[in-house]
Amino acid sequence: MANFSKSSVPQFSVEVYQNEFLPEGGRDVNAIVTVTSTGGGTTGGVPLAAGAPASARVPGRAPAAAVVLMVDCSGSMDYPPTKMRNARDATAAAIDTLRDGTRFAVVAGTHVADDVYPGNGRLATAGPQTKAQAKEALRRLSAGGGTAIGTWLRLADRLLGAAEVDIRHGILLTDGRNEHESPEDLRAALDSCAGRFTCDARGVGTDWEVKEVTEIAGSLLGSADIVADPAGLAADFTRMMENAMGKEVADVALRLWTPVGAEIVFVKQVAPTVADLSGRRTEAGPRAGDYPTGSWGDESRDYHVCVRVPEAGIGQEMLAARVSLILPPSPSAGGVPQTLSQGLVRAVWTDDMAASTSINPQVAHYTGQAELAQVIQQGLDARKSGDFDGATAKLGRAVQLASASGNADTAKLLSKVVDVVDAATGTVRLKARVAEADEMTLETRSTKTVRVKK
Amino acid sequence: MSQSHQQASLPGCPSCEEPLEPGDLFCGACGYDLSAVPAPPGDRPTVAITVPAQGAAEPSAAPVEWPPAAGTDGSDRSAPTHRPADLPGVDSGGRPLVSGERAAVRFDEPGAPVGSPPGAPDDVPGDFELAAPDPRTVEHAPAGASAAGAKVCVACRSGRVDTDGYCENCGHAQPRERDHMEEELGGVAAVSDRGLRHHRNEDSFAVSCTALPDGSPAVVAIVCDGVSSASRPDEASAAAASAANESLLESLPRGAHPQQAMHEAILAASEAVNALAQDPGQAMEHDQHRHQNAPACTLVGAIMAGGLLVVGWVGDSRVYWVPEDRSNPPARLTEDDSWAAQMVAAGLMNEAEAYADERAHAITGWLGADAYELEPHTASFKPDRPGLVVVCTDGLWNYAEAAAEMAAAVPPEAHERPLHGAQVLVGHALDGGGHDNVTVALLPFAVTARGAGSA
């Protein structure tokens, strides 16, 4: 939640961790960029763009936010019937968490989308009365129909786009596969919504498709998770809503300037979860490109940037990348993007072998965490396709990485899928019997990382 | 650059600290094999590459010994710059300098097989257009900082230089003020340069002129070399040079004996460097992987006052004496605190072996909070003829190790034009490969009362 005791201007700090020393002929520069935002309850007159028209925000007040709750009401939600009841209760709990004044709507999703509250194609403004009305509307929700998530997202986009707010967020709950539209339809819906609002996605039960849910959250810069037991929904929805209410700044971009002749090998978010942003670059002037990061509250994220620079001689120093956090242009700021903070990634060529061969601990750590996420995916895919040797090797490597990096949560999830013989060497046996929920939990949460042990 | 300051030192046994005798091959107390002195870490940017100076090839030049002290056995020593009646070199405590049993110590042998063959300089051809801007040709802009907005990149010559000092086009770092520094005062000149292989200049110097209480002039030069394997070596050398210089500017006019003043100046410099260890500094983000290492540097200084030449040093930066009349032999006036020098002094290796060893340049004395025991060396001389005092870091003497080589590298007119002479010497090091930062100060020594007190 917004904290009014803090500075009224959102503070972004950028820290760069790297070993800048390259050997003769070295070209790849790796750096971990830690971005920390300490927002206030407000942006204190700093113009925040939420698209045109300009925000009607009053300085000194929390940012205006709009949230659309998308609840799966397909027929499968009635098996067992507790699922629908839990979904209703969870949505009600989320509505209770709304800050008064927040704009909101509830969408019942089946093979079509229906805005069940307020129901007039617009958003309601949260207050005691509207919250009660919304909860009343929830009681009328019943299960029946198919699943076409793309239609839900498009409706949410229409509702959110009509509001003059800073933060636009969606919360999506599904329990089944996206069976009543083609994957291309969902992809097209995601593409049209990307950058217009952020969205957290949750799968309840075990009949949904992990890759669909993680793709929705990935495209819309939100979180993905599994709620295997419907009874856990209310707590999870409350947490998600609190998180959404804590967002201060929307549409922040990570801008990367690189020198002429340089090639960007990749740009990944590596904490709190791994997400490859390399393909989401939009050009931003000469030698610079923007990568979307979504909305920020009080939080800290780490990015791994790898740049291949033109080689220079021993003793040379080069700026390999300038990393900055950018707010999009807004009319009140004269249409000029605002740089919030920046950090420098350097390259220095040396013949000092001790300097050029050492690996920065942060870079090493996150390289391991990214590999961890990858080998879990590969291991589970191999297991599903019947390649048990391949699955054992990949998941063994995952156990080794999780154990070495102190990623206790992932290690715990792995131990439900494999029997660990020796974590240090990555020797494991596949469990003969694995609960579907455990496997899906591991797959959904495989991208969660831990930070470097201090 | 000075090498990492790993303990490679005698006379304490590395295993049990038992004092050792020169010549011991094993520790008398614990039997530790003294030839197995711990290796320094792999940080070896500067392999000692001796590029024989022209005309210095004949190995027959008179070997010059450590300056003799009166009353010690100097039987087989020729001390060309000193005559018997001259003031002997003494240490800081006024005691005679190290004497006879170290006869095995022979330095300044021209053509000593040092380090690896000079292959490296050849492999830096101009096959990429972004080669290091040669500091002799590139204009460094001491006053250019304010005009940063208008500057054009020295590397790609098309990009504008951004406010953070990098080209907005090719990203290359622009020359910094410290990359090349020159200073000339009456009677002393100094030049410091980043060299061709290091990304920043970690050397520093200070030169000044003052007056003794009797009104006679005193000239001071201090040269410091930051230890690269430590953190913030550039700050260490700058702090040491300025602290030593300020100490001398305070003590010399007050009438302190120059040798005592030099001793105190080294202690003052040491304190200044020690103080850096407590202060986290701003450069930390660039030195993250080595910030546990206290800042450290070497120091060498020379004072000309009252007809005396006083030198003082810690580490492997050196002072050479080059007589104006080149028919007289030149000499080196300092003895390195280095692994090689100690091995030779202890009789464990001959000079050729010691300097061929990759540990040769590991220094055994330095200024810094992690120095084991600070032993400032000072020596005092009374030259009887005019000459030139060359105060330099290993970035220069790696390319002119022997005194004769150094003398050959000094241009003949350096006595009259010390700044030009210093520039030529820096050029000599750059021509040799410029593997390290190069700093040299030249002090022309004039003998006023010629022949006074001598036969």
Side-chain angles (χ1 to χ4, degrees), chain B residues 64-402:
Chain B
V64 176
E65 296 292 346
W66 181 244
T72 61
D73 173 20
S75 53
D76 61 342
R77 298 161 174 278
S78 61
T81 60
H82 308 280
R83 291 180 304 171
D86 285 342
L87 184 72
V90 289
D91 72 11
S92 315
R95 293 179 299 270
L97 288 169
V98 201
S99 59
E101 68 263 24
R102 300 179 83 172
V105 188
R106 293 165 67 86
F107 291 94
D108 298 351
E109 197 79 66
V114 176
S116 53
D122 311 336
D123 59 28
V124 241
D127 57 358
F128 46 85
E129 56 186 43
L130 303 178
D134 186 327
R136 290 164 294 176
T137 57
V138 169
E139 260 192 44
H140 50 95
S146 57
K151 276 204 294 190
V152 168
C153 173
V154 300
C156 69
R157 300 194 193 282
S158 61
R160 188 178 47 83
V161 177
D162 234 314
T163 47
D164 46 21
Y166 297 95
C167 170
E168 53 83 40
N169 179 48
C170 72
H172 272 256
Q174 301 303 302
R176 301 179 181 94
E177 198 173 333
R178 196 156 164 188
D179 284 355
H180 186 92
M181 300 181 288
E182 297 188 355
E183 191 169 350
E184 184 172 33
L185 300 171
V188 57
V191 176
S192 180
D193 193 274
R194 183 176 67 125
L196 302 176
R197 306 279 278 181
H198 278 229
H199 73 284
R200 66 177 169 196
N201 190 357
E202 295 165 358
D203 285 359
S204 190
F205 68 81
V207 293
S208 56
C209 297
T210 181
L212 299 184
D214 64 7
S216 64
V219 179
V220 170
I222 306 284
V223 167
C224 294
D225 178 351
V227 175
S228 290
S229 61
S231 62
R232 296 182 284 144
D234 49 338
E235 292 177 39
S237 60
S242 97
N245 187 44
E246 278 164 30
S247 168
L248 290 172
L249 287 180
E250 187 276 323
S251 57
L252 290 175
R254 164 161 66 75
H257 186 278
Q259 192 162 4
Q260 184 61 30
M262 178 60 85
H263 185 88
E264 286 164 6
I266 294 175
L267 296 180
S270 167
E271 277 169 32
V273 178
N274 292 354
L276 290 178
Q278 283 118 46
D279 155 32
Q282 307 117 349
M284 202 64 97
E285 68 177 280
H286 301 316
D287 274 320
Q288 226 133 34
H289 63 300
R290 17 170 95 170
H291 68 165
Q292 62 282 16
N293 225 330
C297 68
T298 73
L299 181 147
V300 63
I303 305 170
M304 291 189 320
L308 288 181
L309 167 61
V310 170
V311 300
W313 72 98
V314 173
D316 67 348
S317 298
R318 293 181 175 181
V319 178
Y320 290 84
W321 167 257
V322 179
E324 193 177 14
D325 176 0
R326 296 300 176 87
S327 61
N328 293 305
R332 170 152 65 81
L333 306 182
T334 55
E335 187 184 2
D336 299 345
D337 288 321
S338 75
W339 184 87
Q342 293 216 0
M343 291 311 279
V344 174
L348 295 175
M349 283 180 152
N350 68 32
E351 193 178 335
E353 289 167 354
Y355 278 94
D357 193 288
E358 63 169 17
R359 291 166 289 189
H361 284 237
I363 60 170
T364 56
W366 61 90
L367 303 180
D370 59 348
Y372 294 97
E373 192 178 320
L374 178 61
E375 284 180 66
H377 315 287
T378 60
S380 172
F381 304 90
K382 188 163 189 177
D384 62 344
R385 64 204 75 189
L388 191 69
V389 180
V390 180
V391 184
C392 65
T393 61
D394 60 348
L396 173 61
W397 67 251
N398 275 332
Y399 303 102
E401 204 275 327

Side-chain angles (χ1 to χ4, degrees), chain A residues 83-99:
Chain A
K83 214 174 354 180
M84 194 67 236
R85 198 171 65 232
N86 281 308
R88 270 198 297 266
D89 292 350
T91 311
I95 288 169
D96 282 334
T97 315
L98 284 169
R99 187 170 53 222

